[in-house]
Amino acid sequence: MVKELMHDPLFLGRKPASATEADLQTAQDLLDTLAAHKDTCVGMAANMIGVCKRIIAFDNAGTCMLMLNPEIVKAAGAYETEEGCLSLLGGPRKTKRYEKIKVQYQTLDFQTRLKTFTGWTAQIIQHEIDHCNGILI
């Protein structure tokens, strides 16, 4: 189900709890909401739809991907960039990102995976994991 976007910086600044099997509907809602905003958004975290859980959805080279409880375990190639966010008012803000990241996460059946991402996809994931850590750009 498509959910309303959260704009409260106090809520968005809270560090979300780990996702559990009870949060699988939230994961689907996150995918539905991302699809509804596909013209202006390439990634979302669960707190952006009002659920304080560690779940992200993002465009991975044209295919939507979900991660439960994602953590960046390695990063290389720091650079400065500007990003916007549907949950935050105002224009793009400066931030530091990495060209290459290795992410540990869980799938929808709670299998742990480790995967390396580069470029634009890595940047999207870093933005959404920031949301999972209560960090706003």
Side-chain angles (χ1 to χ4, degrees):
M1 176 188 307
V2 176
K3 298 292 187 174
E4 187 173 329
L5 296 177
M6 173 65 65
H7 298 287
D8 179 356
L10 294 176
F11 180 85
L12 293 167
R14 290 175 38 200
K15 191 170 181 178
S18 295
T20 67
E21 287 184 35
D23 300 308
L24 293 179
Q25 183 58 53
T26 296
Q28 184 58 55
D29 292 345
L30 194 57
L31 278 177
D32 294 345
T33 306
L34 178 59
H37 292 276
K38 67 181 177 186
D39 293 339
T40 58
C41 185
V42 292
M44 289 187 153
N47 61 358
M48 293 175 66
I49 60 169
V51 180
C52 204
K53 293 291 185 157
R54 295 183 62 82
I55 306 170
I56 67 172
F58 59 94
D59 180 328
N60 182 19
T63 301
C64 283
M65 184 170 178
L66 272 168
M67 290 182 175
L68 306 176
N69 305 312
E71 298 283 344
I72 296 172
V73 296
K74 191 173 182 181
Y79 65 96
E80 297 289 326
T81 190
E82 288 189 353
E83 296 175 354
C85 181
L86 282 182
S87 287
L88 301 175
L89 302 175
R93 295 167 173 87
K94 291 184 180 190
T95 190
K96 179 180 175 181
R97 295 293 181 222
Y98 295 89
E99 176 63 31
K100 183 177 181 179
I101 59 171
K102 185 178 283 189
V103 182
Q104 180 175 303
Y105 64 96
Q106 291 175 310
T107 62
L108 287 175
D109 57 356
F110 290 89
Q111 297 296 308
T112 300
R113 299 285 187 260
L114 194 61
K115 185 169 171 126
T116 299
F117 296 89
T118 60
W120 177 236
T121 302
Q123 184 174 334
I124 297 166
I125 294 168
Q126 289 168 81
H127 180 103
E128 303 316 329
I129 290 178
D130 276 357
H131 277 292
C132 289
N133 293 325
I135 298 169
L136 305 176
I137 58 169

